[in-house]
Coordinates of all heavy atoms in Angstrom, one line a residue:
L872 N -195.1 -13.4 31.7 CA -194.9 -14.9 31.6 C -194.0 -15.3 32.7 O -193.1 -14.6 33.2 CB -194.2 -15.2 30.2 CG -195.1 -15.2 29.0 CD1 -194.2 -15.4 27.7 CD2 -196.2 -16.2 29.0
R873 N -194.1 -16.6 33.0 CA -193.1 -17.2 33.9 C -192.5 -18.5 33.3 O -193.2 -19.3 32.8 CB -193.8 -17.6 35.3 CG -192.8 -18.0 36.3 CD -193.4 -18.3 37.7 NE -193.9 -19.6 37.7 CZ -194.2 -20.3 38.9 NH1 -193.9 -19.7 40.0 NH2 -194.7 -21.5 38.8
L874 N -191.2 -18.5 33.4 CA -190.4 -19.7 32.9 C -190.0 -20.5 34.1 O -189.7 -19.9 35.2 CB -189.2 -19.2 32.1 CG -189.4 -18.3 30.9 CD1 -188.1 -18.0 30.2 CD2 -190.4 -18.9 30.0
S875 N -190.0 -21.8 34.0 CA -189.5 -22.7 35.0 C -188.4 -23.5 34.5 O -188.4 -23.9 33.3 CB -190.6 -23.5 35.6 OG -191.7 -22.8 36.1
C876 N -187.5 -24.0 35.4 CA -186.4 -24.9 35.0 C -186.2 -25.8 36.1 O -185.7 -25.4 37.2 CB -185.1 -24.1 34.7 SG -183.7 -25.1 34.4
A877 N -186.5 -27.1 35.9 CA -186.3 -28.1 36.9 C -185.0 -28.8 36.7 O -184.7 -29.3 35.6 CB -187.5 -29.1 36.9
A878 N -184.2 -28.9 37.7 CA -182.9 -29.5 37.6 C -182.8 -30.8 38.3 O -183.5 -31.1 39.3 CB -181.8 -28.6 38.3
S879 N -182.0 -31.7 37.8 CA -181.8 -33.0 38.4 C -180.3 -33.4 38.1 O -179.7 -32.9 37.2 CB -182.7 -34.1 37.8 OG -182.6 -34.2 36.5
G880 N -179.8 -34.3 39.0 CA -178.5 -34.8 38.8 C -177.4 -33.9 39.3 O -176.2 -34.1 39.0
M881 N -177.7 -33.0 40.2 CA -176.8 -32.1 40.8 C -177.3 -31.7 42.2 O -178.5 -31.9 42.5 CB -176.6 -30.8 39.9 CG -177.9 -30.1 39.6 SD -177.8 -28.6 38.6 CE -177.2 -27.4 39.8
F882 N -176.4 -31.1 43.0 CA -176.7 -30.6 44.3 C -177.2 -29.2 44.1 O -176.5 -28.2 44.2 CB -175.5 -30.7 45.2 CG -175.9 -30.6 46.7 CD1 -174.9 -30.9 47.6 CD2 -177.1 -30.2 47.1 CE1 -175.2 -30.8 49.0 CE2 -177.4 -30.1 48.4 CZ -176.4 -30.4 49.4
F883 N -178.5 -29.1 43.8 CA -179.1 -27.9 43.3 C -178.9 -26.7 44.3 O -178.6 -25.6 43.9 CB -180.6 -28.1 43.1 CG -181.3 -26.9 42.6 CD1 -181.3 -26.5 41.2 CD2 -182.1 -26.1 43.5 CE1 -182.0 -25.4 40.8 CE2 -182.8 -25.0 43.0 CZ -182.7 -24.6 41.7
S884 N -179.1 -26.9 45.6 CA -179.2 -25.8 46.5 C -177.9 -25.1 46.7 O -177.9 -23.9 47.1 CB -179.7 -26.3 47.9 OG -178.7 -27.2 48.4
I885 N -176.8 -25.7 46.3 CA -175.5 -25.0 46.5 C -175.0 -24.4 45.2 O -173.9 -23.8 45.2 CB -174.4 -26.0 47.0 CG1 -174.1 -27.1 45.9 CG2 -174.9 -26.6 48.3 CD1 -172.9 -27.9 46.3
N886 N -175.8 -24.4 44.1 CA -175.3 -24.0 42.8 C -176.0 -22.7 42.3 O -177.2 -22.6 42.5 CB -175.5 -25.1 41.8 CG -174.3 -25.3 40.9 OD1 -173.2 -25.2 41.3 ND2 -174.6 -25.4 39.6
A887 N -175.2 -21.8 41.7 CA -175.8 -20.7 41.1 C -176.6 -21.2 39.8 O -176.2 -22.1 39.2 CB -174.8 -19.7 40.7
M888 N -177.6 -20.5 39.5 CA -178.4 -20.8 38.3 C -178.6 -19.5 37.5 O -178.7 -18.4 38.1 CB -179.8 -21.3 38.7 CG -179.7 -22.6 39.5 SD -179.1 -24.0 38.6 CE -180.3 -24.2 37.3
D889 N -178.7 -19.7 36.2 CA -178.8 -18.5 35.3 C -179.9 -18.7 34.3 O -180.3 -19.8 33.9 CB -177.5 -18.3 34.5 CG -176.2 -18.6 35.3 OD1 -176.1 -18.1 36.4 OD2 -175.3 -19.3 34.7
W890 N -180.3 -17.6 33.7 CA -181.1 -17.6 32.5 C -180.4 -16.7 31.5 O -180.0 -15.6 31.7 CB -182.5 -16.9 32.8 CG -183.4 -17.8 33.6 CD1 -183.7 -17.8 34.9 CD2 -184.2 -18.9 33.1 NE1 -184.6 -18.7 35.3 CE2 -185.0 -19.4 34.2 CE3 -184.5 -19.4 31.8 CZ2 -185.9 -20.4 34.0 CZ3 -185.4 -20.4 31.7 CH2 -186.0 -20.9 32.8
Y891 N -180.3 -17.3 30.3 CA -179.8 -16.6 29.1 C -180.9 -16.5 28.1 O -182.0 -17.2 28.2 CB -178.7 -17.4 28.5 CG -177.3 -17.3 29.1 CD1 -177.1 -18.0 30.3 CD2 -176.3 -16.6 28.5 CE1 -175.8 -17.9 30.9 CE2 -175.1 -16.6 29.1 CZ -174.8 -17.2 30.3 OH -173.6 -17.2 30.9
R892 N -180.7 -15.6 27.1 CA -181.6 -15.6 25.9 C -180.9 -15.3 24.7 O -179.8 -14.7 24.7 CB -182.7 -14.5 26.2 CG -182.2 -13.1 26.2 CD -183.4 -12.2 26.5 NE -182.9 -10.8 26.5 CZ -183.7 -9.7 26.9 NH1 -185.0 -10.0 27.3 NH2 -183.2 -8.5 26.9
Q893 N -181.5 -15.7 23.6 CA -180.9 -15.5 22.3 C -181.9 -15.1 21.3 O -182.9 -15.9 21.0 CB -180.1 -16.7 21.8 CG -179.3 -16.5 20.5 CD -178.3 -17.6 20.2 OE1 -178.4 -18.7 20.7 NE2 -177.3 -17.2 19.4
A894 N -181.8 -13.9 20.8 CA -182.8 -13.3 19.8 C -182.2 -13.7 18.4 O -181.0 -13.9 18.3 CB -182.9 -11.8 20.0
P895 N -183.1 -13.7 17.4 CA -182.7 -14.0 16.1 C -181.6 -13.1 15.6 O -181.7 -11.8 15.8 CB -184.0 -13.8 15.3 CG -185.1 -14.1 16.2 CD -184.6 -13.5 17.5
G896 N -180.5 -13.6 15.1 CA -179.4 -12.8 14.6 C -178.5 -12.2 15.6 O -177.6 -11.4 15.3
K897 N -178.8 -12.5 16.9 CA -178.0 -11.9 18.0 C -177.3 -13.0 18.8 O -177.6 -14.2 18.8 CB -178.8 -11.1 18.9 CG -179.5 -9.9 18.2 CD -180.2 -9.0 19.2 CE -180.7 -7.7 18.6 NZ -181.4 -6.8 19.5
E898 N -176.3 -12.6 19.5 CA -175.5 -13.5 20.4 C -176.4 -13.8 21.7 O -177.2 -13.0 22.1 CB -174.2 -12.9 20.8 CG -173.2 -12.8 19.6 CD -171.8 -12.5 20.1 OE1 -171.6 -12.2 21.3 OE2 -170.9 -12.4 19.2
R899 N -176.1 -15.0 22.2 CA -176.8 -15.3 23.5 C -176.3 -14.4 24.6 O -175.1 -14.1 24.7 CB -176.4 -16.8 23.8 CG -177.3 -17.4 24.9 CD -177.1 -18.9 25.0 NE -177.5 -19.6 23.8 CZ -177.6 -20.9 23.8 NH1 -177.3 -21.7 24.8 NH2 -178.0 -21.5 22.7
E900 N -177.2 -13.9 25.4 CA -176.8 -13.0 26.4 C -177.4 -13.4 27.8 O -178.4 -14.1 27.9 CB -177.4 -11.5 26.2 CG -178.9 -11.4 26.3 CD -179.3 -9.9 26.3 OE1 -178.5 -9.0 26.5 OE2 -180.5 -9.7 26.1
L901 N -176.6 -13.1 28.8 CA -177.0 -13.5 30.2 C -178.1 -12.5 30.6 O -177.9 -11.3 30.6 CB -175.8 -13.4 31.1 CG -176.0 -13.7 32.6 CD1 -176.5 -15.1 32.8 CD2 -174.7 -13.5 33.4
V902 N -179.2 -13.0 31.1 CA -180.3 -12.2 31.5 C -180.3 -12.0 33.0 O -180.5 -10.9 33.5 CB -181.6 -12.8 31.0 CG1 -182.8 -12.1 31.5 CG2 -181.6 -12.9 29.5
A903 N -180.2 -13.1 33.8 CA -180.3 -13.1 35.2 C -179.6 -14.2 35.9 O -179.4 -15.3 35.3 CB -181.8 -13.1 35.6
V904 N -179.1 -14.0 37.1 CA -178.3 -14.9 37.8 C -178.9 -15.0 39.3 O -179.2 -13.9 39.8 CB -176.8 -14.6 37.9 CG1 -176.1 -15.6 38.8 CG2 -176.2 -14.5 36.5
I905 N -179.0 -16.1 39.9 CA -179.3 -16.3 41.3 C -178.3 -17.2 41.9 O -178.0 -18.3 41.4 CB -180.7 -16.7 41.5 CG1 -181.0 -16.7 43.0 CG2 -181.0 -18.1 40.9 CD1 -182.5 -16.8 43.3
T906 N -177.6 -16.8 43.0 CA -176.6 -17.6 43.6 C -177.3 -18.5 44.6 O -178.5 -18.5 44.9 CB -175.6 -16.7 44.3 OG1 -176.2 -16.1 45.4 CG2 -175.0 -15.7 43.4
S907 N -176.4 -19.4 45.3 CA -176.9 -20.3 46.3 C -177.5 -19.5 47.5 O -178.4 -20.0 48.2 CB -175.8 -21.2 46.7 OG -174.7 -20.5 47.2
S908 N -176.9 -18.3 47.7 CA -177.4 -17.5 48.8 C -178.6 -16.6 48.4 O -178.9 -15.7 49.2 CB -176.3 -16.6 49.4 OG -175.7 -15.8 48.4
R909 N -179.0 -16.8 47.2 CA -180.2 -16.0 46.6 C -179.9 -14.6 46.3 O -180.8 -13.8 46.1 CB -181.4 -16.1 47.5 CG -181.9 -17.5 47.8 CD -183.1 -17.6 48.7 NE -183.4 -18.9 49.1 CZ -184.2 -19.8 48.4 NH1 -184.8 -19.3 47.3 NH2 -184.4 -21.0 48.8
S910 N -178.6 -14.3 46.2 CA -178.2 -13.0 45.6 C -178.6 -13.0 44.1 O -178.4 -14.1 43.4 CB -176.7 -12.7 45.7 OG -176.4 -12.5 47.1
T911 N -179.0 -11.9 43.6 CA -179.5 -11.8 42.2 C -178.8 -10.7 41.4 O -178.4 -9.7 42.1 CB -181.0 -11.7 42.1 OG1 -181.4 -10.5 42.7 CG2 -181.7 -12.9 42.7
R912 N -178.7 -10.8 40.1 CA -178.3 -9.7 39.3 C -178.9 -9.9 37.9 O -179.2 -11.0 37.5 CB -176.8 -9.6 39.2 CG -176.0 -10.7 38.6 CD -174.5 -10.4 38.6 NE -173.7 -11.4 37.9 CZ -173.2 -12.5 38.4 NH1 -173.4 -12.7 39.7 NH2 -172.5 -13.3 37.7
Y913 N -179.1 -8.8 37.2 CA -179.8 -8.7 36.0 C -179.1 -7.9 35.0 O -178.4 -6.9 35.3 CB -181.2 -8.1 36.2 CG -182.0 -8.9 37.2 CD1 -182.0 -8.5 38.6 CD2 -182.9 -9.9 36.8 CE1 -182.7 -9.2 39.5 CE2 -183.6 -10.6 37.8 CZ -183.6 -10.2 39.1 OH -184.3 -10.9 40.0
V914 N -179.3 -8.2 33.7 CA -178.8 -7.3 32.6 C -179.7 -6.1 32.7 O -180.9 -6.1 33.1 CB -179.0 -8.0 31.3 CG1 -180.5 -8.3 30.9 CG2 -178.3 -7.2 30.2
D915 N -179.1 -4.9 32.4 CA -179.8 -3.7 32.6 C -181.1 -3.6 31.9 O -182.1 -3.0 32.4 CB -178.9 -2.5 32.1 CG -177.7 -2.2 33.0 OD1 -177.7 -2.7 34.1 OD2 -176.8 -1.5 32.6
S916 N -181.3 -4.2 30.8 CA -182.5 -4.1 30.0 C -183.7 -4.8 30.6 O -184.8 -4.5 30.2 CB -182.3 -4.7 28.6 OG -181.9 -6.0 28.7
V917 N -183.5 -5.6 31.6 CA -184.6 -6.3 32.3 C -184.8 -5.9 33.7 O -185.8 -6.3 34.4 CB -184.5 -7.8 32.1 CG1 -184.3 -8.2 30.7 CG2 -183.5 -8.4 33.1
K918 N -183.9 -5.1 34.2 CA -184.0 -4.7 35.6 C -185.4 -4.0 35.9 O -185.8 -3.1 35.2 CB -182.9 -3.7 36.0 CG -181.5 -4.4 36.2 CD -180.4 -3.4 36.5 CE -179.1 -4.1 36.7 NZ -178.0 -3.1 37.0

């Protein structure tokens, strides 16, 4: 699957963006991050 997220009202290109997820009964967790320079990191379970 592919998820998309369209941003407005901010200077998008200079900002880091993240994806989180929350499963039933669990805390929200950080899944992936991409910085303005396109560096990325992931939670181990999705690498």
Side-chain angles (χ1 to χ4, degrees):
L872 285 173
R873 189 177 80 159
L874 306 182
S875 301
C876 173
S879 60
M881 56 181 280
F882 197 169
F883 180 82
S884 63
I885 67 170
N886 222 42
M888 300 293 297
D889 318 315
W890 286 97
Y891 281 75
R892 68 184 179 187
Q893 188 165 20
K897 295 187 177 181
E898 293 189 355
R899 194 171 294 191
E900 70 168 346
L901 178 62
V902 175
V904 178
I905 185 165
T906 69
S907 58
S908 61
R909 302 178 188 272
S910 295
T911 60
R912 62 180 187 268
Y913 302 89
V914 67
D915 285 347
S916 59
V917 309
K918 285 180 180 177

